[in-house]
């Protein structure tokens, strides 16, 4: 296993403690993304979508959904899963850069930034800015702050498990994650962490007008979500109306 894409390139990633965890995880994210869709005609792109087992919910609330996944086996499984949904397309990261400019109302990248180096992340932000319509929005979710990332992720997983019927599976699943290649990759490939100020500055430098959302997409509220608009839009997102879980 040579990098983070390989780590995720399983039909069912070790990061999910069981099928229930995976499905509740993706349903929670899909429901949060649906809250952010401004119109039933919206064109939505989900970059680094993972197994996306609830993407049909996002597609049902939008006009078109493009799922981008780098891991080839995960992408193949998405292609089979959504073959019957005419609103969903599954593509590679390389194909993303070739999509028509100014064609998306909403671009989401959730829980991916930690696996990407800072220069590569700037390159992606540039691509997303050109793909967004002038009044579109880029949602960057699950940005991991420095310090206590692992214990807070474990605690959030236990809480999520307790609330959704997989508490004990979360305990054994955590052991499985930490005996997988996760720790070795963390050392060799690294994980990118950002303070709120650092990510706001990074988004600004790549031409966005960013703000931090009051709640993170998904279950881990120690991590951060940002809304970033192309500067020409002149709109401010009503951050309180979205990601509305307490
Ligand atoms: C934790 S999963 C996130 C999946 C989904 N967005 C979610 O929130 O559950 C991380 C995703 O990042 C992708 N990924 C990791 N490194 C990447 C890279 N260098 N370029 C593009 N995607 C990458 C993996 O393939 C995987 O789908």
């Amino acid at each position: 296993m040579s990098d983070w894409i390989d780590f995720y390139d399983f039909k069912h990633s070790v990061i999910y403690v069981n099928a229930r965890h995976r499905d509740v995880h993706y349903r929670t994210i899909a429901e949060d993304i649906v809250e952010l869709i401004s119109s039933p005609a919206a064109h939505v792109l989900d970059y680094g979508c993972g197994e996306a087992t609830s993407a049909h919910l996002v597609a049902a609330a939008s006009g078109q959904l493009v799922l981008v996944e780098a891991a080839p086996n995960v992408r193949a499984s998405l292609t089979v899963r959504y073959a019957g949904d005419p609103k969903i397309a599954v593509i590679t990261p390389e194909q993303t850069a070739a999509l028509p400019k100014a064609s998306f109302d909403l671009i989401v990248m959730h829980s991916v930034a930690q696996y990407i180096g800072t220069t590569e992340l700037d390159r992606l932000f540039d691509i997303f800015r050109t793909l967004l319509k002038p009044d579109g929005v880029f949602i960057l979710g699950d940005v991991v702050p420095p310090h206590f990332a692992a214990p807070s992720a474990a605690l959030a997983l236990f809480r999520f498990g307790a609330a959704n019927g997989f508490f004990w599976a979360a305990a054994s699943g955590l052991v499985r994650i930490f005996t997988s290649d996760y720790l070795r990759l963390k050392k060799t490939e690294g994980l990118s962490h950002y303070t709120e100020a650092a990510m706001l500055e990074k988004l600004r430098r790549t031409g966005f007008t960013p703000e931090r959302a009051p709640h993170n997409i998904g279950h881990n509220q120690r991590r951060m979500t940002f809304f970033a608009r192309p500067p020409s839009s002149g709109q401010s997102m009503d951050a309180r109306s979205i990601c509305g879980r307490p």
Side-chain angles (χ1 to χ4, degrees), residues 66-238:
V66 177
L67 298 175
V68 184
E69 178 49 54
N73 288 312
V74 178
R75 197 169 59 243
S77 155
L78 288 166
T79 304
V80 171
R81 182 187 292 272
Y82 295 116
D85 193 328
K87 285 188 181 176
I88 300 182
V90 181
I91 66 170
T92 64
E94 293 72 25
Q95 289 171 308
T96 309
L99 290 170
K101 290 187 168 67
S103 55
F104 288 94
D105 300 278
L106 179 65
I107 295 179
V108 180
M109 187 171 87
H110 184 74
S111 209
V112 179
Q114 62 268 43
Y115 303 109
I116 294 179
T118 184
T119 309
E120 170 66 3
L121 193 57
D122 284 348
R123 192 186 69 84
L124 280 179
F125 288 176
D126 281 340
I127 292 172
F128 296 159
R129 214 186 49 254
T130 64
L131 292 179
L132 275 178
K133 293 179 184 173
D135 59 349
V137 64
F138 167 43
I139 311 277
L140 176 65
D142 226 29
V143 174
V144 185
H147 311 302
F148 310 114
S152 63
L155 188 62
L157 179 64
F158 280 128
R159 285 199 180 122
F160 196 44
N164 290 285
F166 61 89
F167 179 85
W168 294 111
S172 54
L174 271 180
V175 174
R176 204 155 44 98
I177 292 166
F178 284 106
T179 52
S180 71
D181 269 345
Y182 186 88
L183 291 180
R184 186 184 61 74
L185 282 170
K186 197 174 159 198
K187 274 199 192 120
T188 57
E189 298 296 302
L191 281 174
S192 302
H193 296 176
Y194 298 90
T195 61
E196 176 181 346
M199 185 49 83
L200 287 169
E201 177 56 22
K202 191 170 180 62
L203 286 162
R204 258 183 226 114
R205 265 193 286 108
T206 42
F208 283 106
T209 303
E211 63 184 302
R212 182 177 169 185
H215 303 288
N216 186 30
I217 290 175
H219 73 283
N220 185 342
Q221 293 307 312
R222 191 166 177 276
R223 296 186 177 182
M224 301 174 282
T225 286
F226 296 86
F227 307 131
R229 290 187 176 279
S232 58
S233 78
Q235 291 183 35
S236 156
M237 196 124 188
D238 182 358

